[in-house]
Amino acid sequence: MKRSLLTACALLAACSGVQVAEPVEDAITPLEQACMRDPLDPERWERLAAALTVAGERERAAVMYLQAASLRSYD
């Protein structure tokens, strides 16, 4: 129960841009899967990028933000 609550909090933080003291790695996988299910949705890529930023993976986050920006330019 505690682990699922932490995961939910990390997902909420990633979606809202709030910084979390201890990022939960398990939150990134569902966001990656969501991007793979619908790769043309820039919002999903931005959420993944935010979660990666919270997790300290800034280089990967930058790539995801670029992906979202390129998708938005074609809209």
Side-chain angles (χ1 to χ4, degrees):
M1 174 71 178
K2 184 177 181 182
R3 183 156 180 91
S4 63
L5 180 61
L6 287 173
T7 302
C9 289
L11 280 171
L12 250 171
C15 292
S16 65
V18 174
Q19 293 292 329
V20 177
E22 292 184 32
V24 178
E25 298 293 328
D26 293 349
I28 293 171
T29 302
L31 291 169
E32 290 173 328
Q33 290 170 351
C35 289
M36 294 302 110
R37 280 192 303 274
D38 187 8
L40 299 178
D41 184 359
E43 289 181 27
R44 292 180 187 212
W45 291 100
E46 289 168 345
R47 288 182 193 140
L48 175 58
L52 290 168
T53 301
V54 169
E57 296 185 41
R58 296 187 188 278
E59 290 179 18
R60 279 186 68 202
V63 172
M64 303 309 156
Y65 278 125
L66 285 174
Q67 175 67 16
S70 70
L71 288 169
R72 287 196 186 279
S73 70
Y74 288 108
D75 283 347

